[in-house]
């Protein structure tokens, strides 16, 4: 793939779809499993002939694949926010918290980073056992990284009145006798 990408700069090159996928991966584009169909669709949309591909065409294909992946990721997050019932302000706070975490190479957040994010949101130290309980409630292993959707679920669960992570409990009349 590297040899073919070097030849691309000079002239057109005969490539296969898997060569394009390999080049995308080698430059850091993280393609989810089964993304060959997406790459083929983009190649078809661009109207490029893989048997005679120029570098500028590969650049266009790369740009469109990255844009499509980002668009899909954004759509997924927006759907998740709707399912969780988060307001725009809460979503922005959770997104900011996620962006501030020291993320792992996979794009997820470690237990340590999630604990720190909870501490920053709550303004106090949080015991690891309480964070572990949250992980178990969202059915995730504390030893593994969590992705953005699980991070949002973790913060939402922590902020619920059921948990001790809220800065202050909501006032309710449930405990007031009639």
């Amino acid at each position: 793939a590297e040899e073919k990408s070097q030849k691309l700069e000079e002239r057109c090159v005969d490539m296969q779809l898997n060569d394009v996928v390999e080049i995308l991966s080698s430059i850091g584009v993280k393609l989810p499993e089964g993304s060959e169909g997406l790459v083929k669709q983009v190649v078809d949309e661009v109207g490029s002939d893989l048997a005679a591909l120029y570098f500028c065409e590969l650049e266009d294909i790369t740009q469109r694949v990255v844009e499509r992946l980002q668009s899909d990721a954004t759509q997924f997050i927006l759907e998740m926010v709707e399912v969780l019932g988060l307001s725009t302000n809460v979503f922005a706070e959770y997104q900011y918290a996620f962006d501030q975490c020291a993320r792992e190479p996979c794009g997820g957040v470690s237990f340590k980073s999630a604990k720190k994010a909870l501490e920053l949101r709550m303004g106090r130290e949080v015991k690891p056992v309480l964070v572990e309980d949250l992980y178990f409630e969202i059915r995730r292993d504390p030893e593994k990284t969590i992705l953005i959707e699980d991070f949002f679920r973790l913060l939402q669960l922590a902020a619920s009145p059921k948990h001790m992570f809220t800065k202050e409990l909501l006032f309710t009349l449930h405990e007031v006798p009639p």
Side-chain angles (χ1 to χ4, degrees):
E2 190 173 316
E3 180 183 309
K4 287 189 178 189
S5 66
Q6 287 175 347
K7 287 181 182 179
L8 274 173
E9 293 182 34
E10 303 164 8
R11 56 184 167 69
C12 66
V13 175
D14 180 17
M15 298 187 92
Q16 300 296 318
L17 188 62
N18 62 342
D19 293 326
V20 175
V21 170
E22 193 175 318
I23 287 172
L24 290 169
S25 295
S26 71
I27 61 171
V29 177
K30 294 180 182 179
L31 294 169
E33 286 292 318
S35 294
E36 292 80 12
L38 168 68
V39 175
K40 179 169 179 10
Q41 183 181 12
V42 169
V43 168
D44 292 344
E45 286 172 6
V46 171
S48 296
D49 179 11
L50 290 178
L53 190 67
Y54 287 94
F55 185 72
C56 62
E57 293 173 310
L58 180 62
E59 285 180 316
D60 193 24
I61 291 167
T62 301
Q63 180 69 30
R64 289 178 187 224
V65 167
V66 170
E67 287 172 356
R68 187 78 53 85
L69 290 171
Q70 292 301 320
S71 175
D72 291 350
T74 300
Q75 187 61 37
F76 172 77
I77 290 170
L78 292 175
E79 288 170 3
M80 179 196 54
V81 166
E82 187 175 318
V83 166
L84 291 175
L86 300 177
S87 70
T88 306
N89 289 340
V90 172
F91 165 66
E93 288 176 19
Y94 288 6
Q95 180 71 47
Y96 180 78
F98 183 79
D99 290 342
Q100 298 307 306
C101 288
R103 283 189 252 156
E104 302 296 314
C106 68
V109 174
S110 68
F111 178 87
K112 182 179 176 183
S113 293
K115 180 181 176 295
K116 184 162 180 77
L118 285 168
E119 289 175 344
L120 290 172
R121 282 195 50 76
M122 303 310 151
R124 61 184 168 84
E125 187 176 337
V126 177
K127 293 181 181 179
V129 68
L130 296 175
V131 182
E132 286 175 3
D133 289 344
L134 290 172
Y135 267 76
F136 291 126
E137 282 196 53
I138 65 167
R139 293 185 171 90
R140 294 295 176 247
D141 182 353
E143 299 294 319
K144 297 185 178 178
T145 59
I146 56 173
L147 299 177
I148 192 167
E149 60 269 19
D150 292 324
F151 182 78
F152 280 16
R153 289 177 42 225
L154 186 90
L155 291 181
Q156 184 184 32
L157 189 59
S160 69
K162 172 183 170 183
H163 289 277
M164 299 168 45
F165 291 99
T166 54
K167 289 182 182 177
E168 57 187 359
L169 292 176
L170 299 173
F171 176 76
T172 64
L173 296 176
H174 293 274
E175 297 176 20
V176 176

